Amino acid sequence: HDLLPCTQTRKIPSSHTQQNQRFPSHTQKKHTHMPSIFAIATIVAFIFLVILQTVHMQKIWMMCPGDHSKDLLQIIDIKTVPALPTVGASFQVSLLGRVLGSIADGNVHTKVYFAPAGFQYPFFEGDSDLCSAFEGALECPIAPGQFSRTIKTEIPPIAPRGGPYNGTLALTTGAGQPITCIQFEFQMQ
């Protein structure tokens, strides 16, 4: 059937009105400027899928701003289990990447902020030895080539829920050469 502009009406045959009682009269106006129920349902479904993917696939890690072409560790992927840290539970981070040069020693500089309601409070800042940090997950020396490590930790039961928490992990060699730098932001479950 042809669509009529908003200003025209179309007479519906009486046999059709008897079979389908949803039209109160024999004339129907077709408003082409109003979105159809199908279009609205499609938009709502799309928004729901985006929200669902954002919740379940929330990416809490990203590279720090700046040039990473000289980093010794080129990160390909970071996965977390569970997806978001949970107070009083174990948390696992799996790193996949490529090491471009031998790493004999180094430092991990960690900054963590708790930022509820737009205020940013320092939660933790400190340095640790790269080769003994993360309960030995990064044993030195780290040889060039494929890099795959899993770091496991326990989230303390005293950690405040909510957030967001944000901060950085900056890894450097003992000589100060950048290994990698990762930013994070998440809501504590």
Side-chain angles (χ1 to χ4, degrees):
H1 297 319
D2 56 342
L3 296 176
L4 300 173
C6 186
T7 57
Q8 293 184 354
T9 59
R10 179 177 176 184
K11 183 150 174 108
I12 300 174
S14 61
S15 63
H16 182 70
T17 56
Q18 290 170 356
Q19 292 173 2
N20 189 348
Q21 294 297 321
R22 53 184 197 168
F23 299 111
S25 70
H26 293 291
T27 59
Q28 175 188 17
K29 257 188 185 183
K30 182 79 172 173
H31 298 279
T32 57
H33 66 278
M34 292 180 57
S36 71
I37 292 176
F38 177 75
I40 293 170
T42 302
I43 291 168
V44 169
F46 176 74
I47 292 170
F48 177 74
L49 287 173
V50 168
I51 291 170
L52 188 64
Q53 280 198 339
T54 301
V55 169
H56 291 289
M57 306 292 283
Q58 183 179 20
K59 189 164 186 152
I60 62 174
W61 306 92
M62 65 199 88
M63 299 302 295
C64 297
D67 180 17
H68 294 281
S69 62
K70 295 190 186 325
D71 287 3
L72 288 175
L73 174 58
Q74 300 292 311
I75 303 252
I76 296 169
D77 193 23
I78 300 173
K79 291 189 172 138
T80 59
V81 176
L84 295 172
T86 302
V87 172
S90 63
F91 185 63
Q92 181 175 300
V93 178
S94 297
L95 300 169
L96 179 64
R98 183 147 191 83
V99 177
L100 303 180
S102 183
I103 302 170
D105 61 356
N107 182 61
V108 179
H109 185 75
T110 306
K111 288 183 187 178
V112 181
Y113 297 95
F114 183 60
F119 298 102
Q120 189 155 303
Y121 302 103
F123 190 72
F124 174 81
E125 182 170 0
D127 292 284
S128 54
D129 178 63
L130 173 71
C131 302
S132 61
F134 311 116
E135 299 178 9
L138 301 177
E139 293 178 9
C140 294
I142 301 172
Q146 175 95 12
F147 180 83
S148 179
R149 299 287 193 286
T150 297
I151 300 165
K152 296 177 185 176
T153 191
E154 295 292 321
I155 305 297
I158 61 168
R161 293 184 190 273
Y165 286 82
N166 62 57
T168 58
L169 289 170
L171 286 64
T172 55
T173 65
Q177 183 177 3
I179 296 173
T180 195
C181 182
I182 301 167
Q183 286 185 322
F184 55 87
E185 184 170 346
F186 59 87
Q187 295 283 333
M188 184 73 73
Q189 303 301 300

